[in-house]
mmCIF file of all heavy atoms in Angstrom:
data_model
loop_
_atom_site.group_PDB
_atom_site.id
_atom_site.type_symbol
_atom_site.label_atom_id
_atom_site.label_comp_id
_atom_site.label_asym_id
_atom_site.label_seq_id
_atom_site.Cartn_x
_atom_site.Cartn_y
_atom_site.Cartn_z
ATOM 1 N N ARG A 382 215.404 203.055 47.000
ATOM 2 C CA ARG A 382 215.115 204.436 47.557
ATOM 3 C C ARG A 382 213.607 204.582 47.682
ATOM 4 O O ARG A 382 212.840 204.163 46.797
ATOM 5 C CB ARG A 382 215.656 205.487 46.537
ATOM 6 C CG ARG A 382 217.215 205.529 46.567
ATOM 7 C CD ARG A 382 217.685 206.536 45.539
ATOM 8 N NE ARG A 382 217.185 207.883 45.885
ATOM 9 C CZ ARG A 382 217.422 208.979 45.135
ATOM 10 N NH1 ARG A 382 218.149 208.852 44.097
ATOM 11 N NH2 ARG A 382 216.920 210.158 45.508
ATOM 12 N N PHE A 383 213.213 205.257 48.654
ATOM 13 C CA PHE A 383 211.780 205.440 48.906
ATOM 14 C C PHE A 383 211.535 206.879 49.316
ATOM 15 O O PHE A 383 210.828 207.182 50.270
ATOM 16 C CB PHE A 383 211.329 204.425 50.112
ATOM 17 C CG PHE A 383 211.608 203.052 49.774
ATOM 18 C CD1 PHE A 383 212.791 202.396 50.045
ATOM 19 C CD2 PHE A 383 210.571 202.296 49.090
ATOM 20 C CE1 PHE A 383 212.990 201.074 49.753
ATOM 21 C CE2 PHE A 383 210.794 201.031 48.746
ATOM 22 C CZ PHE A 383 212.010 200.396 49.051
ATOM 23 N N ASP A 384 212.063 207.777 48.524
ATOM 24 C CA ASP A 384 211.949 209.199 48.836
ATOM 25 C C ASP A 384 211.008 209.912 47.893
ATOM 26 O O ASP A 384 211.140 211.135 47.789
ATOM 27 C CB ASP A 384 213.347 209.909 48.866
ATOM 28 C CG ASP A 384 214.145 209.596 47.646
ATOM 29 O OD1 ASP A 384 213.509 208.903 46.714
ATOM 30 O OD2 ASP A 384 215.270 210.078 47.470
ATOM 31 N N GLY A 385 210.314 209.180 47.084
ATOM 32 C CA GLY A 385 209.412 209.786 46.095
ATOM 33 C C GLY A 385 210.104 210.112 44.845
ATOM 34 O O GLY A 385 209.426 210.503 43.860
ATOM 35 N N GLN A 386 211.416 209.712 44.736
ATOM 36 C CA GLN A 386 212.118 210.004 43.538
ATOM 37 C C GLN A 386 212.284 208.730 42.630
ATOM 38 O O GLN A 386 212.891 208.709 41.607
ATOM 39 C CB GLN A 386 213.542 210.596 43.834
ATOM 40 C CG GLN A 386 213.537 211.829 44.671
ATOM 41 C CD GLN A 386 212.756 212.959 43.967
ATOM 42 O OE1 GLN A 386 212.990 213.247 42.791
ATOM 43 N NE2 GLN A 386 211.796 213.550 44.592
ATOM 44 N N THR A 387 211.768 207.635 43.197
ATOM 45 C CA THR A 387 211.901 206.421 42.492
ATOM 46 C C THR A 387 210.484 206.057 41.889
ATOM 47 O O THR A 387 209.487 206.313 42.522
ATOM 48 C CB THR A 387 212.356 205.300 43.473
ATOM 49 O OG1 THR A 387 213.544 205.651 44.012
ATOM 50 C CG2 THR A 387 212.567 203.994 42.664
ATOM 51 N N PHE A 388 210.556 205.534 40.758
ATOM 52 C CA PHE A 388 209.267 205.187 40.014
ATOM 53 C C PHE A 388 209.229 203.766 39.613
ATOM 54 O O PHE A 388 210.288 203.187 39.274
ATOM 55 C CB PHE A 388 209.079 206.126 38.780
ATOM 56 C CG PHE A 388 208.888 207.511 39.178
ATOM 57 C CD1 PHE A 388 210.006 208.359 39.403
ATOM 58 C CD2 PHE A 388 207.628 208.137 39.350
ATOM 59 C CE1 PHE A 388 209.897 209.664 39.761
ATOM 60 C CE2 PHE A 388 207.539 209.488 39.730
ATOM 61 C CZ PHE A 388 208.659 210.260 39.946
ATOM 62 N N ILE A 389 208.041 203.203 39.611
ATOM 63 C CA ILE A 389 207.847 201.934 38.887
ATOM 64 C C ILE A 389 206.829 202.172 37.811
ATOM 65 O O ILE A 389 206.117 203.184 37.876
ATOM 66 C CB ILE A 389 207.413 200.706 39.871
ATOM 67 C CG1 ILE A 389 206.033 201.080 40.456
ATOM 68 C CG2 ILE A 389 208.389 200.607 40.920
ATOM 69 C CD1 ILE A 389 205.393 199.951 41.182
ATOM 70 N N PHE A 390 206.701 201.279 37.044
ATOM 71 C CA PHE A 390 205.716 201.436 35.844
ATOM 72 C C PHE A 390 204.570 200.370 35.850
ATOM 73 O O PHE A 390 204.932 199.204 36.010
ATOM 74 C CB PHE A 390 206.514 201.404 34.460
ATOM 75 C CG PHE A 390 207.498 202.530 34.322
ATOM 76 C CD1 PHE A 390 208.769 202.448 34.844
ATOM 77 C CD2 PHE A 390 207.004 203.743 33.788
ATOM 78 C CE1 PHE A 390 209.566 203.593 34.733
ATOM 79 C CE2 PHE A 390 207.886 204.773 33.604
ATOM 80 C CZ PHE A 390 209.167 204.763 34.165
ATOM 81 N N LEU A 391 203.467 200.869 35.771
ATOM 82 C CA LEU A 391 202.315 199.983 35.584
ATOM 83 C C LEU A 391 201.728 200.285 34.170
ATOM 84 O O LEU A 391 201.225 201.426 33.999
ATOM 85 C CB LEU A 391 201.226 200.189 36.670
ATOM 86 C CG LEU A 391 201.605 199.995 38.167
ATOM 87 C CD1 LEU A 391 200.460 200.284 39.057
ATOM 88 C CD2 LEU A 391 202.135 198.588 38.306
ATOM 89 N N GLY A 392 201.885 199.369 33.245
ATOM 90 C CA GLY A 392 201.650 199.723 31.934
ATOM 91 C C GLY A 392 202.793 200.738 31.461
ATOM 92 O O GLY A 392 204.057 200.516 31.728
ATOM 93 N N ASP A 393 202.309 201.873 30.966
ATOM 94 C CA ASP A 393 203.389 202.806 30.541
ATOM 95 C C ASP A 393 203.338 204.046 31.452
ATOM 96 O O ASP A 393 203.915 205.114 31.177
ATOM 97 C CB ASP A 393 202.974 203.314 29.081
ATOM 98 C CG ASP A 393 203.146 202.218 28.060
ATOM 99 O OD1 ASP A 393 204.046 201.223 28.249
ATOM 100 O OD2 ASP A 393 202.275 202.101 27.205
ATOM 101 N N THR A 394 202.636 203.888 32.585
ATOM 102 C CA THR A 394 202.560 204.974 33.427
ATOM 103 C C THR A 394 203.400 204.824 34.635
ATOM 104 O O THR A 394 203.531 203.722 35.218
ATOM 105 C CB THR A 394 201.063 205.106 33.919
ATOM 106 O OG1 THR A 394 200.161 205.129 32.800
ATOM 107 C CG2 THR A 394 200.771 206.387 34.764
ATOM 108 N N ALA A 395 204.113 205.911 34.993
ATOM 109 C CA ALA A 395 205.052 205.873 36.187
ATOM 110 C C ALA A 395 204.236 206.168 37.413
ATOM 111 O O ALA A 395 203.352 207.034 37.474
ATOM 112 C CB ALA A 395 206.115 206.917 35.964
ATOM 113 N N TYR A 396 204.608 205.498 38.390
ATOM 114 C CA TYR A 396 204.036 205.629 39.765
ATOM 115 C C TYR A 396 205.162 205.913 40.780
ATOM 116 O O TYR A 396 206.146 205.101 40.766
ATOM 117 C CB TYR A 396 203.233 204.414 40.193
ATOM 118 C CG TYR A 396 201.958 204.254 39.540
ATOM 119 C CD1 TYR A 396 201.916 203.865 38.107
ATOM 120 C CD2 TYR A 396 200.686 204.519 40.096
ATOM 121 C CE1 TYR A 396 200.725 203.695 37.483
ATOM 122 C CE2 TYR A 396 199.503 204.351 39.516
ATOM 123 C CZ TYR A 396 199.483 203.928 38.178
ATOM 124 O OH TYR A 396 198.280 203.853 37.456
ATOM 125 N N ALA A 397 205.054 206.935 41.535
ATOM 126 C CA ALA A 397 206.105 207.235 42.504
ATOM 127 C C ALA A 397 206.045 206.301 43.670
ATOM 128 O O ALA A 397 205.007 206.088 44.279
ATOM 129 C CB ALA A 397 205.913 208.695 43.032
ATOM 130 N N VAL A 398 207.200 205.829 44.053
ATOM 131 C CA VAL A 398 207.289 204.848 45.201
ATOM 132 C C VAL A 398 207.405 205.675 46.465
ATOM 133 O O VAL A 398 208.406 206.411 46.660
ATOM 134 C CB VAL A 398 208.514 203.913 45.054
ATOM 135 C CG1 VAL A 398 208.591 203.013 46.212
ATOM 136 C CG2 VAL A 398 208.410 203.072 43.739
ATOM 137 N N MET A 399 206.402 205.487 47.334
ATOM 138 C CA MET A 399 206.366 206.364 48.554
ATOM 139 C C MET A 399 206.993 205.636 49.743
ATOM 140 O O MET A 399 207.516 206.301 50.636
ATOM 141 C CB MET A 399 204.921 206.686 48.938
ATOM 142 C CG MET A 399 204.300 207.609 47.895
ATOM 143 S SD MET A 399 202.698 208.012 48.560
ATOM 144 C CE MET A 399 203.162 209.068 49.943
ATOM 145 N N GLY A 400 206.909 204.312 49.791
ATOM 146 C CA GLY A 400 207.366 203.654 51.049
ATOM 147 C C GLY A 400 207.479 202.175 50.807
ATOM 148 O O GLY A 400 206.997 201.617 49.761
ATOM 149 N N ARG A 401 207.995 201.465 51.757
ATOM 150 C CA ARG A 401 208.119 200.081 51.820
ATOM 151 C C ARG A 401 207.468 199.431 53.090
ATOM 152 O O ARG A 401 207.767 199.871 54.163
ATOM 153 C CB ARG A 401 209.599 199.685 51.686
ATOM 154 C CG ARG A 401 209.806 198.176 51.473
ATOM 155 C CD ARG A 401 211.297 197.866 51.540
ATOM 156 N NE ARG A 401 211.781 197.884 52.944
ATOM 157 C CZ ARG A 401 213.005 197.951 53.261
ATOM 158 N NH1 ARG A 401 213.987 197.969 52.284
ATOM 159 N NH2 ARG A 401 213.465 197.939 54.495
ATOM 160 N N LEU A 402 206.681 198.484 52.838
ATOM 161 C CA LEU A 402 206.063 197.720 53.946
ATOM 162 C C LEU A 402 207.013 196.604 54.367
ATOM 163 O O LEU A 402 207.263 195.721 53.557
ATOM 164 C CB LEU A 402 204.699 197.108 53.545
ATOM 165 C CG LEU A 402 203.486 198.063 53.578
ATOM 166 C CD1 LEU A 402 202.275 197.200 53.232
ATOM 167 C CD2 LEU A 402 203.271 198.695 54.873
ATOM 168 N N ASP A 403 207.448 196.618 55.566
ATOM 169 C CA ASP A 403 208.352 195.492 56.000
ATOM 170 C C ASP A 403 207.571 194.343 56.638
ATOM 171 O O ASP A 403 208.050 193.242 56.565
ATOM 172 C CB ASP A 403 209.394 196.005 57.026
ATOM 173 C CG ASP A 403 210.568 196.657 56.329
ATOM 174 O OD1 ASP A 403 210.506 196.756 55.062
ATOM 175 O OD2 ASP A 403 211.516 197.033 57.043
ATOM 176 N N ASP A 404 206.437 194.675 57.231
ATOM 177 C CA ASP A 404 205.678 193.609 57.819
ATOM 178 C C ASP A 404 204.226 194.064 57.957
ATOM 179 O O ASP A 404 203.905 195.208 58.056
ATOM 180 C CB ASP A 404 206.204 193.211 59.172
ATOM 181 C CG ASP A 404 205.781 191.951 59.668
ATOM 182 O OD1 ASP A 404 205.230 191.119 58.903
ATOM 183 O OD2 ASP A 404 205.998 191.536 60.859
ATOM 184 N N VAL A 405 203.355 193.069 58.019
ATOM 185 C CA VAL A 405 201.913 193.268 58.342
ATOM 186 C C VAL A 405 201.364 192.125 59.218
ATOM 187 O O VAL A 405 201.936 190.993 59.131
ATOM 188 C CB VAL A 405 201.000 193.317 57.076
ATOM 189 C CG1 VAL A 405 201.251 194.601 56.313
ATOM 190 C CG2 VAL A 405 201.267 192.094 56.158
ATOM 191 N N ASP A 406 200.432 192.411 60.099
ATOM 192 C CA ASP A 406 199.887 191.393 60.939
ATOM 193 C C ASP A 406 198.769 190.653 60.139
ATOM 194 O O ASP A 406 198.526 189.385 60.455
ATOM 195 C CB ASP A 406 199.318 192.002 62.206
ATOM 196 C CG ASP A 406 200.384 192.414 63.199
ATOM 197 O OD1 ASP A 406 201.504 191.966 62.984
ATOM 198 O OD2 ASP A 406 200.073 193.264 64.138
ATOM 199 N N ARG A 407 198.151 191.281 59.231
ATOM 200 C CA ARG A 407 197.005 190.678 58.474
ATOM 201 C C ARG A 407 197.431 190.726 56.984
ATOM 202 O O ARG A 407 198.155 191.674 56.546
ATOM 203 C CB ARG A 407 195.753 191.387 58.742
ATOM 204 C CG ARG A 407 195.217 191.327 60.133
ATOM 205 C CD ARG A 407 193.824 191.916 60.206
ATOM 206 N NE ARG A 407 193.227 191.707 61.549
ATOM 207 C CZ ARG A 407 193.109 192.727 62.423
ATOM 208 N NH1 ARG A 407 193.348 193.957 62.041
ATOM 209 N NH2 ARG A 407 192.625 192.500 63.601
ATOM 210 N N ASP A 408 196.938 189.797 56.274
ATOM 211 C CA ASP A 408 197.074 189.840 54.740
ATOM 212 C C ASP A 408 198.512 189.891 54.445
ATOM 213 O O ASP A 408 198.972 190.883 53.690
ATOM 214 C CB ASP A 408 196.290 190.949 54.111
ATOM 215 C CG ASP A 408 194.707 190.693 54.335
ATOM 216 O OD1 ASP A 408 194.407 189.622 54.795
ATOM 217 O OD2 ASP A 408 194.053 191.630 53.970
ATOM 218 N N PRO A 409 199.358 188.914 54.816
ATOM 219 C CA PRO A 409 200.820 188.992 54.447
ATOM 220 C C PRO A 409 201.153 189.006 53.007
ATOM 221 O O PRO A 409 202.257 189.354 52.641
ATOM 222 C CB PRO A 409 201.304 187.816 55.174
ATOM 223 C CG PRO A 409 200.213 186.869 55.349
ATOM 224 C CD PRO A 409 199.042 187.682 55.488
ATOM 225 N N GLU A 410 200.142 188.687 52.067
ATOM 226 C CA GLU A 410 200.400 188.763 50.667
ATOM 227 C C GLU A 410 200.758 190.181 50.218
ATOM 228 O O GLU A 410 201.345 190.424 49.137
ATOM 229 C CB GLU A 410 199.251 188.288 49.845
ATOM 230 C CG GLU A 410 197.969 189.018 49.989
ATOM 231 C CD GLU A 410 197.054 188.472 51.128
ATOM 232 O OE1 GLU A 410 197.717 187.809 52.061
ATOM 233 O OE2 GLU A 410 195.877 188.815 51.153
#
Side-chain angles (χ1 to χ4, degrees):
Chain A
R382 290 180 60 182
F383 299 90
D384 55 1
Q386 302 302 310
T387 305
F388 295 85
I389 64 167
F390 293 88
L391 300 178
D393 296 327
T394 308
Y396 287 74
V398 178
M399 294 186 66
R401 186 185 75 194
L402 282 182
D403 275 5
D404 197 12
V405 287
D406 287 342
R407 296 188 176 108
D408 294 351
E410 63 271 18

